[in-house]
Amino acid sequence: MTEVNSEIAQRQNWMSLLARGDVEHFERTWSGIDLKPDYDVLRAADTGMVMVRGRAGGDGQRFNLGEMTVTRCSVRMRNGIIGHAYLAGRNKRQATLAAIFDAMLQAPGCLDTFKASLLDPIQDALAKKQSNTDRKVASTRVNFFTMVRGDD
Amino acid sequence: MYVAVKGGEKAIENAHRFLAEQRRGDANIPELSISQIKEQMSLAVDRVMTEGSLYDKDLAALSIKQARGDLIEAIFLLRAYRTTLARFATSEPINSTQMKVRRRISATYKDLPGGQVLGPTFDYSHRLLNFALMAEGEAPLAEQEAAEIETYPRVTSLMNAEGLIEQECADDSVDVGDLTRDPLDFPADRDVRLQNLARADEGFLLSMGYSTQRGYGNNHPFAGEIRMGDVEVEIIPEELGFPISIGDITITECEMINQFVGSATQSPKFTRGYGLTFGEGERKAMSMALVDRALRARELGEEIQGPAQDEEFVLYHTDNVEASGFVQHLKLPHYVDFQGELEMVRNLRKKQDEMKAAGE
């Protein structure tokens, strides 16, 4: 059970990174693979929407805030493994490559092979961008001080 | 009687060509790109996404360009595009306590866990025209400081300890109403009201919120907390059966805290009004929170004194696509209707003249 959970957690992690990567990095990684695996497209990349939900007061009753564009794709590799992708936005090529990568990464040992070239650069770019934003936000932190009034 | 009138096709076609030329403006001036609008008119983009009810910055920027900067027209374009897309899934509720915060302020507590960060705000600016922006200059840079890892607990959660503030009830077994699928029905539950307000015209909500502050609806609010930043969106696709993260969206959230004197069954306490928008939409989120609270009058047993507390009045008039359509349909040909009315007024006048003549 724990093993299954940790497999799911790993997959959630890479799917989350693939949803935030950029298509040029995906293309470079894909073209850098010498023996490209064969795959069938189960569900061609297609753009639709996800209804985004919020909660009243942030923690109460659910409500529908509005939709966002999402592109999804599913592929099946020749070894039978199925890869899925759901990405915010409308980039069909990115969704197709993300679905292929999702399938490839599920094959035994593949995560170790592609972590450094595919996933780490996405993680690093996100961390760098976030840290840059955090530093700008930190410069706008309000430090209140109380004026000491003279007693005499 | 309905009389089909033909003609005008050529005029319409040419009017649209004229519009296209006017939209482009002077061809000697460089054309605006979608990425320029997205980057430099980002608050217009955010407003169009919120009221167009579709989070997609490129499409919102495109609609602004196509609409010549008329945001209500742009919202209409985005709403129309939205109807061409299928809905793949509904997200798990976004969690704003996990937000990557770019702004977080409270008007009720000076020192609160996580502190106050102003972020990119117009507040405290002098509203003097900056003529330097008329010249092309170097891109300005923000200051940077070492950042600590901060968590930002919800301000209302800090008041829970004393039980001085009402608790939200999160019952996820209750179905969530959806105005894009079912028409508005009264009395409207809070989920439907919040969806309606989230899509609502900012100007209308601003005025409605303002009216409550001026006394049309008993409302004594404090901005308990305003936060803006990025949150993760998660869905559980059927084929996977576990949640996956599909990307981040920027949202603005406002929680208003309002005095409530109590009723026969409830002790005096603070109540809450909630506002939420896509992107950076602080004015809209604050207005929404005021109106959300005002619309809770029925639920809290308050006397309905002002228009902002009247849910039929408010919820039927929030949507600027509907409002614009109904107002603007008046310019379409009503030749036959008008002929009918002309005939009626002529008859009335004739009758009046006859009565006058008979009386003399």
Side-chain angles (χ1 to χ4, degrees):
Chain A
M1 185 66 195
T2 322
E3 204 170 300
V4 171
N5 284 344
S6 88
E7 270 176 26
I8 288 178
Q10 278 185 334
R11 190 164 175 210
Q12 284 172 315
N13 182 52
W14 77 58
M15 289 184 90
S16 159
L17 288 172
L18 292 173
R20 289 163 175 80
D22 81 276
V23 70
E24 283 163 30
H25 168 60
F26 286 11
E27 293 282 13
R28 278 195 304 276
T29 310
W30 180 240
S31 62
I33 298 170
D34 290 332
L35 290 169
K36 289 189 181 51
D38 284 331
Y39 63 89
D40 295 314
V41 175
L42 285 182
R43 185 166 59 196
D46 180 27
T47 298
M49 302 181 293
V50 161
M51 174 55 92
V52 180
R53 281 209 173 140
R55 287 188 181 278
D59 55 3
Q61 190 183 356
R62 298 173 301 170
F63 72 96
N64 290 314
L65 169 63
E67 279 150 320
M68 65 191 282
T69 53
V70 172
T71 303
R72 68 178 176 190
C73 181
S74 301
V75 298
R76 179 167 45 213
M77 312 310 278
R78 284 292 141 83
N79 59 13
I81 297 178
I82 293 173
H84 297 292
Y86 280 85
L87 322 177
R90 288 170 300 111
N91 196 323
K92 290 183 180 170
R93 178 66 182 160
Q94 185 172 2
T96 307
L97 288 172
I100 296 169
F101 291 145
D102 177 52
M104 285 170 63
L105 290 166
Q106 290 174 66
C110 265
L111 182 56
D112 295 332
T113 315
F114 288 105
K115 190 174 174 297
S117 60
L118 177 63
L119 299 177
D120 289 350
I122 304 174
Q123 178 105 56
D124 294 347
L126 290 173
K128 196 175 161 194
K129 194 172 165 213
Q130 189 58 46
S131 135
N132 198 19
T133 305
D134 287 344
R135 289 175 59 81
K136 291 175 196 169
V137 171
S139 78
T140 68
R141 177 169 297 281
V142 183
N143 294 306
F144 288 103
F145 56 88
T146 310
M147 306 287 276
V148 179
R149 285 189 190 166
D151 282 335
D152 44 21
Chain B
M1 187 176 61
Y2 178 78
V3 182
V5 181
K6 298 249 319 164
E9 291 93 341
K10 191 71 189 160
I12 290 169
E13 190 191 322
N14 289 342
H16 290 165
R17 291 181 62 162
F18 193 12
L19 172 72
E21 188 190 284
Q22 291 286 298
R23 185 200 59 69
R24 175 60 182 85
D26 184 346
N28 294 313
I29 308 285
E31 186 170 356
L32 265 178
S33 70
I34 298 305
S35 49
Q36 282 173 330
I37 296 171
K38 200 168 68 164
E39 290 299 315
Q40 297 172 43
M41 295 281 142
S42 55
L43 300 186
V45 167
D46 289 349
R47 180 171 175 190
V48 169
M49 293 196 303
T50 299
E51 295 173 33
S53 211
L54 185 65
Y55 194 102
D56 187 309
K57 291 192 178 202
D58 293 292
L59 295 179
L62 169 62
S63 64
I64 291 167
K65 177 171 174 171
Q66 188 178 331
R68 305 172 69 191
D70 178 340
L71 297 188
I72 293 181
E73 181 72 16
I75 288 158
F76 193 172
L77 291 172
L78 201 60
R79 287 267 189 97
Y81 176 78
R82 189 209 144 263
T83 63
T84 66
L85 297 177
R87 187 185 292 172
F88 292 160
T90 299
S91 84
E92 296 299 289
I94 52 173
N95 182 353
S96 54
T97 53
Q98 298 293 317
M99 178 190 279
K100 287 168 184 146
V101 163
R102 294 206 289 283
R103 174 169 167 79
R104 193 268 198 128
I105 55 168
S106 169
T108 53
Y109 291 102
K110 179 163 66 69
D111 299 305
L112 70 166
Q116 312 220 9
V117 287
L118 299 180
T121 180
F122 289 124
D123 292 353
Y124 314 109
S125 69
H126 293 111
R127 267 74 182 207
L128 299 173
L129 278 178
N130 178 2
F131 288 97
L133 294 177
M134 288 181 93
E136 288 173 28
E138 285 180 20
L141 288 177
E143 197 59 42
Q144 300 202 6
E145 270 179 28
E148 307 282 324
I149 293 169
E150 296 288 355
T151 53
Y152 298 94
R154 203 173 286 292
V155 162
T156 47
S157 72
L158 306 174
M159 299 173 73
N160 285 351
E162 283 184 273
L164 289 179
I165 191 157
E166 64 170 339
Q167 295 301 294
E168 293 288 353
C169 171
D171 180 358
D172 287 357
S173 65
V174 180
D175 282 342
V176 181
D178 187 354
L179 290 170
T180 67
R181 306 219 159 147
D182 304 304
L184 191 57
D185 200 10
F186 295 99
D189 287 335
R190 193 163 177 215
D191 54 343
V192 169
R193 298 198 306 256
L194 286 169
Q195 183 183 13
N196 177 291
L197 298 179
R199 297 156 61 92
D201 182 79
E202 177 173 326
F204 179 77
L205 282 196
L206 177 65
S207 295
M208 281 290 125
Y210 181 42
S211 74
T212 67
Q213 289 180 280
R214 293 195 62 257
Y216 291 89
N218 195 18
N219 207 337
H220 300 281
F222 296 93
E225 183 170 6
I226 295 166
R227 56 170 81 196
M228 181 276 288
D230 288 356
V231 292
E232 190 172 37
V233 179
E234 285 189 332
I235 58 170
I236 304 178
E238 274 177 26
E239 61 272 32
L240 289 171
F242 55 81
I244 59 166
S245 172
I246 59 170
D248 301 303
I249 59 171
T250 301
I251 58 161
T252 303
E253 184 183 52
C254 172
E255 186 120 50
M256 289 284 181
I257 297 173
N258 300 66
Q259 202 189 90
F260 175 62
V261 291
S263 63
T265 54
Q266 300 185 66
S267 357
K269 65 184 170 196
F270 290 99
T271 54
R272 300 157 71 170
Y274 188 64
L276 183 65
T277 72
F278 284 149
E280 296 178 46
E282 188 162 294
R283 191 192 302 115
K284 161 85 181 259
M286 293 180 76
S287 307
M288 177 172 165
L290 290 176
V291 177
D292 171 47
R293 175 59 185 82
L295 290 177
R296 296 182 60 209
R298 176 171 48 84
E299 167 198 343
L300 294 166
E302 292 169 333
E303 194 188 341
I304 293 176
Q305 300 162 311
Q309 295 168 305
D310 178 338
E311 67 177 12
E312 284 200 33
F313 179 78
V314 173
L315 300 180
Y316 269 142
H317 298 110
T318 50
D319 193 284
N320 55 26
V321 176
E322 280 175 18
S324 168
F326 203 51
V327 168
Q328 295 207 63
H329 103 282
L330 292 174
K331 67 195 172 189
L332 296 175
H334 283 70
Y335 307 134
V336 176
D337 289 350
F338 188 65
Q339 283 300 322
E341 298 234 346
L342 261 182
E343 207 49 41
M344 192 178 72
V345 173
R346 281 190 188 121
N347 278 334
L348 287 171
R349 286 179 66 121
K350 199 171 144 197
K351 271 187 198 147
Q352 193 184 41
D353 288 346
E354 283 166 5
M355 280 166 72
K356 268 189 200 158
E360 276 164 12

